[in-house]
Amino acid sequence: MKTTKLNVALIVLVVMGIGFSFTTSNKVTVKGSDTMVILSQKWAEVYMKKNPGASIQVTGGGSGVGLAALINGSTDIANSSRPIKPAEIEKLKARYNSMGVEIPCAKDGLSVYLNKANPVTTLTIKQIGLIFAGKITNWKEVGGPDATIKLYGRESSSGTFTFFKDNVVRTDFSPSCQTLPGTAAIVNAVKKDKYSIGYGGAAYAEGVKDCAVKKDDKSPAVLPTGATIKNHTYPISRYLYMYLKSKPTGEAKAFIDWILSAEGQKLIEEVGYYPLK
Amino acid sequence: MNSQSPIKQTFTKESLKKQFRLSEFLSEKIITSVAFLSIAIIFLIFIFVFKESLPLFSFGNKAKPNTEIQSNTDKPETYGAATEELKPETYGATTTEELKPEIYGSEPVSNEELKPETYGESKKEDLSVPLADEPMDAVSENKEGADNTWSTFFSTEWVPVSDNPRFGLIALLIGTLKVTIIAILIAGPLAILAAVYTSCFASNRRKEIIKPIIEMLAAFPSVVIGFFAMMVLATFFQDVFGYDSRLNAFIGGVAMALAAIPIIYTISEDALSAVPKTYTEASLALGASKAQTAFKVILPAATPGIFAALLLGVGRVFGETMIALMATGNAALLSANPFESVRTFAATIGSEMAETVFGETHYSVLFFIGSLLFIFSFILNAIAEFYVKGKLIKKFQGK
């Protein structure tokens, strides 16, 4: 009997311990965009090394997941690779009577990937949009060989998908667009498929060709490089955001200020994205 | 724990009564509750899944405000305008500015740098032309309100994230069936023949080698199989058959066959081994060869078990998510060509559930798909249970 009681006592202790560990610690939680997970983790890691008292917990899940968690109050900071949607602001307002605080913290270029064997090297934004909307289906329509265009894209839960849809395609994606989980999968698919086109972060383009993008027919073609993304001559670039319910205070404020400082911004390039300046 | 001295053991009516031991009592109760818990959990999951899809069935206007994009339908290209009244804080100060939440930080993003503006005026004009030129065709329209997305269920387009979302389940259903049929056509014969070989022909030593190895296939995580299919099988089969799209239903089917083979194999093997020895001995004694015995006597006698194995294999393929996500291309195309990309039910849930907003139509539709999957597997199991046990067994046992 004694051991049974001891076991019960132990279980109760463990349960209580777990319970308390959730309530008493005052760590900053960061949740959201999978694009930003590596970057956020790097930030948290370096910041915690500098400030041993700080506890910053980073999880991914996707931009929408992070913003939903912000609305539900289960995270302090939401990472998002797309701007907050009006519907989400509406929910924040209903719940916290606040518009949310937006903090652009890094820049990212969305690159259009082409297979290295593809003779096409430049496209206008309009052509890219029409290709992904399924209006242009053959490479010869954009000055390439007579071959069907294979489309690779992200699933609709991705922030990258939403950004590309809102800013480049501007209508529904073609139903023949194959959606793959993750940018790396798209790069791999494009690498193996000669007449394919895909999109994703500029940092991922390994083994594929970045498409030089023209704003319109007359403007020059720009390749996504660090310089062109930073000074906005490359047309498909975006901000990576952090969202909060209200102006940051305490630990979160210190962390964000540090991210925006030169020191935090310096880390961005190590991960493959681009600093604000 | 309870040490009772066995010296003066007198058997009275009391002492012969079942003694109450707490440990025994507890373990008995725990085992019972675990058994009932699994039943309860299955029901709870089903109730949860179905409950989340319920908003679809309310035919009122209640669900309408939940839908994702209700304000953008008239003018899709004005991304910021729809949000005007939502941001009074910054709105009052600068009326012409692109609307956005309050900005914090040393370097506020200026108006020109914000996303919708990044492309400059010329680009916006460029892209508004194709929008005006090509309005959605009538088929693709989603008549929200009266019948609330049901009208699009039987269309063929799956475009859940759109200004007027369309939830065409037909394309998904066809895609799922296509992959399932291909996978079972490959896995079924292979697994059953392998089972026949190991149970009827192979020597004991070979059997002991082959059986665990095939069963080890089941230990592969589906991500690994999916990745293998995406990187290796897709290229290989494209070189062999020369079809157009690299990731397609066929590749998905082949990869899922790898996942289904161990299940079908194990259960068929068990069924074949369970055929009474007397059948084999009688057949051999009558002068039938080993092959005749295997295919004319043992295989028919084991049919109910093999049928159940196939149904379980179908269930596995039907619900397989990761392989479908990685290898089938995930494009909801409606065609009979097995070498076209497809999108399956499970992959749709897997890829889209992550970021849907709780309570909106898209979310409910995904849960509705979940209920469909649940109902399908329930029906499969019911067929396996009642039809096989009831009819086939009686037929083959000559009752």
Side-chain angles (χ1 to χ4, degrees):
Chain A
M1 291 320 105
K2 218 177 166 188
T3 40
T4 327
K5 269 181 196 163
L6 213 92
N7 281 340
V8 169
L10 248 170
I11 290 167
V12 169
L13 260 176
V14 168
V15 168
M16 279 165 72
I18 292 170
F20 276 120
S21 69
F22 278 119
T23 50
T24 53
S25 66
N26 55 343
K27 57 192 166 204
V28 180
T29 53
V30 182
K31 194 171 187 177
S33 170
D34 284 325
T35 311
M36 293 170 69
V37 162
I38 308 168
L39 177 62
S40 274
Q41 266 167 356
K42 183 95 186 171
W43 271 332
E45 197 181 297
V46 176
Y47 181 77
M48 282 192 286
K49 212 175 272 173
K50 284 191 177 307
N51 305 274
S55 164
I56 287 149
Q57 198 185 34
V58 179
T59 37
S63 304
V65 173
L67 288 167
L70 186 75
I71 293 165
N72 295 332
S74 57
T75 185
D76 302 316
I77 300 173
N79 281 342
S80 177
S81 58
R82 60 167 168 80
I84 191 165
K85 284 183 195 164
E88 284 158 344
I89 296 178
E90 213 167 319
K91 277 183 194 146
L92 264 181
K93 189 164 167 48
R95 209 176 264 213
Y96 303 105
N97 200 24
S98 107
M99 296 288 131
V101 179
E102 178 179 75
I103 304 158
C105 54
K107 279 180 195 167
D108 180 27
L110 272 196
S111 179
V112 175
Y113 309 130
L114 298 173
N115 189 285
K116 277 185 172 162
N118 194 329
V120 176
T121 53
T122 56
L123 291 169
T124 65
I125 289 183
K126 185 179 168 185
Q127 282 173 329
I128 296 171
L130 289 174
I131 285 172
F132 275 98
K135 306 287 189 325
I136 295 179
T137 55
N138 198 305
W139 281 111
K140 73 179 174 200
E141 290 172 66
V142 291
D146 184 8
T148 316
I149 302 176
K150 288 283 157 209
L151 304 172
Y152 289 105
R154 291 293 307 278
E155 62 276 68
S156 62
S157 65
S158 147
T160 308
F161 168 94
T162 315
F163 178 84
F164 206 74
K165 179 178 172 301
D166 286 345
N167 294 285
V168 180
V169 183
R170 293 187 176 244
T171 175
D172 294 335
F173 275 83
S174 159
S176 66
C177 178
Q178 309 192 9
T179 60
L180 296 173
T183 307
I186 290 177
V187 171
N188 274 323
V190 174
K191 199 166 31 176
K192 305 221 161 177
D193 199 339
K194 194 178 168 195
Y195 296 113
S196 62
I197 185 168
Y199 60 86
Y204 287 88
E206 208 169 285
V208 293
K209 186 167 72 177
D210 282 320
C211 175
V213 178
K214 292 195 273 190
K215 271 184 192 167
D216 50 54
D217 296 333
K218 283 149 237 151
S219 50
V222 185
L223 276 169
T225 61
T228 55
I229 289 168
K230 266 189 275 181
N231 68 16
H232 273 279
T233 45
Y234 182 70
I236 316 174
S237 44
R238 61 173 171 177
Y239 278 99
L240 301 176
Y241 300 95
M242 292 170 117
Y243 285 95
L244 284 88
K245 286 196 286 276
S246 52
K247 283 231 156 90
T249 51
E251 194 64 62
K253 178 173 166 37
F255 180 52
I256 289 165
D257 285 342
W258 177 79
I259 285 174
L260 296 174
S261 74
E263 205 179 331
Q265 292 287 307
K266 214 168 63 194
L267 286 174
I268 296 174
E269 257 169 314
E270 287 176 29
V271 185
Y273 301 106
Y274 305 97
L276 293 170
K277 275 186 250 183
Chain B
M1 283 209 289
N2 295 7
S3 56
Q4 285 167 326
S5 56
I7 305 157
K8 46 167 188 158
Q9 193 82 303
T10 49
F11 296 105
T12 63
K13 224 178 182 185
E14 278 301 298
S15 76
L16 281 176
K17 246 186 173 177
K18 192 184 161 199
Q19 277 192 329
F20 178 80
R21 289 197 183 85
L22 186 63
S23 55
E24 228 170 64
F25 174 78
L26 277 181
S27 58
E28 199 179 296
K29 286 292 165 216
I30 287 170
I31 292 168
T32 318
S33 57
V34 166
F36 279 100
L37 206 65
S38 56
I39 299 174
I41 286 173
I42 287 175
F43 270 99
L44 281 179
I45 291 174
F46 183 70
I47 289 168
F48 170 74
V49 168
F50 195 72
K51 196 198 82 200
E52 293 298 318
S53 67
L54 263 188
L56 285 178
F57 298 93
S58 64
F59 284 80
N61 292 329
K62 242 179 78 188
K64 204 186 171 189
N66 284 338
T67 50
E68 198 175 10
I69 308 122
Q70 70 262 27
S71 45
N72 289 1
T73 357
D74 338 348
K75 24 182 176 173
E77 85 275 26
T78 52
Y79 176 67
T83 72
E84 256 173 25
E85 71 276 22
L86 292 174
K87 299 156 190 176
E89 286 179 53
T90 40
Y91 183 59
T94 43
T95 26
T96 50
E97 213 182 64
E98 182 69 28
L99 288 158
K100 56 185 181 280
E102 218 183 319
I103 284 170
Y104 172 81
S106 55
E107 200 196 11
V109 184
S110 72
N111 186 19
E112 301 85 60
E113 286 183 348
L114 261 184
K115 209 73 67 296
E117 314 301 306
T118 345
Y119 302 96
E121 293 306 306
S122 53
K123 187 235 161 194
K124 260 191 168 173
E125 281 162 28
D126 268 351
L127 283 168
S128 60
V129 176
L131 282 176
D133 276 356
E134 289 154 82
M136 306 272 185
D137 27 350
V139 150
S140 61
E141 257 176 47
N142 177 13
K143 299 176 210 80
E144 293 275 338
D147 58 350
N148 184 24
T149 72
W150 283 96
S151 60
T152 64
F153 271 22
F154 302 104
S155 73
T156 58
E157 282 181 308
W158 176 261
V159 194
V161 181
S162 157
D163 291 341
N164 59 352
R166 280 150 282 154
F167 305 99
L169 294 183
I170 298 292
L172 299 187
L173 179 70
I174 298 293
T176 311
L177 291 180
K178 232 157 87 175
V179 173
T180 309
I181 290 168
I182 291 169
I184 291 303
L185 281 183
I186 296 169
L190 278 181
I192 292 169
L193 286 180
V196 168
Y197 173 75
T198 39
S199 80
C200 302
F201 297 104
S203 64
N204 263 348
R205 209 170 61 85
R206 279 191 189 164
K207 190 175 168 178
E208 271 161 26
I209 297 167
I210 293 171
K211 207 177 168 201
I213 287 178
I214 293 184
E215 280 165 1
M216 269 234 300
L217 252 185
F220 273 118
S222 49
V223 196
V224 176
I225 297 178
F227 194 71
F228 173 70
M230 190 172 94
M231 300 301 291
V232 181
L233 289 182
T235 315
F236 174 73
F237 280 107
Q238 194 178 25
D239 290 345
V240 173
F241 293 106
Y243 46 72
D244 227 14
S245 63
R246 216 175 71 86
L247 300 175
N248 54 44
F250 178 72
I251 294 297
V254 171
M256 282 187 205
L258 288 180
I261 280 175
I263 291 176
I264 301 177
Y265 170 81
T266 311
I267 299 169
S268 320
E269 218 273 340
D270 284 349
L272 289 166
S273 307
V275 172
K277 272 276 173 291
T278 47
Y279 286 35
T280 326
E281 281 158 9
S283 165
L284 289 174
L286 286 170
S289 70
K290 242 184 169 182
Q292 280 172 323
T293 312
F295 289 105
K296 298 256 166 75
V297 177
I298 301 178
L299 197 59
T303 310
I306 288 171
F307 190 68
L310 280 177
L311 287 183
L312 282 173
V314 171
R316 169 83 160 93
V317 172
F318 207 79
E320 176 54 56
T321 310
M322 207 58 215
I323 294 174
L325 212 56
M326 298 178 87
T328 58
N330 280 322
L333 298 175
L334 192 73
S335 78
N337 185 353
F339 298 115
E340 286 279 4
S341 296
V342 294
R343 191 181 191 96
T344 68
F345 278 150
T348 305
I349 299 178
S351 69
E352 289 171 16
M353 189 60 86
E355 270 197 51
T356 51
V357 180
F358 292 151
E360 66 163 26
T361 313
H362 185 193
Y363 178 84
S364 301
V365 170
L366 290 182
F367 270 99
F368 181 69
I369 292 174
S371 323
L372 286 183
L373 282 176
F374 200 98
I375 291 167
F376 182 82
S377 64
F378 187 80
I379 290 172
L380 269 188
N381 277 319
I383 293 173
E385 187 72 11
F386 298 116
Y387 179 70
V388 170
K389 279 216 174 128
K391 292 220 169 146
L392 283 179
I393 287 181
K394 267 184 197 160
K395 186 183 158 200
F396 287 108
Q397 291 181 343
K399 279 174 195 164

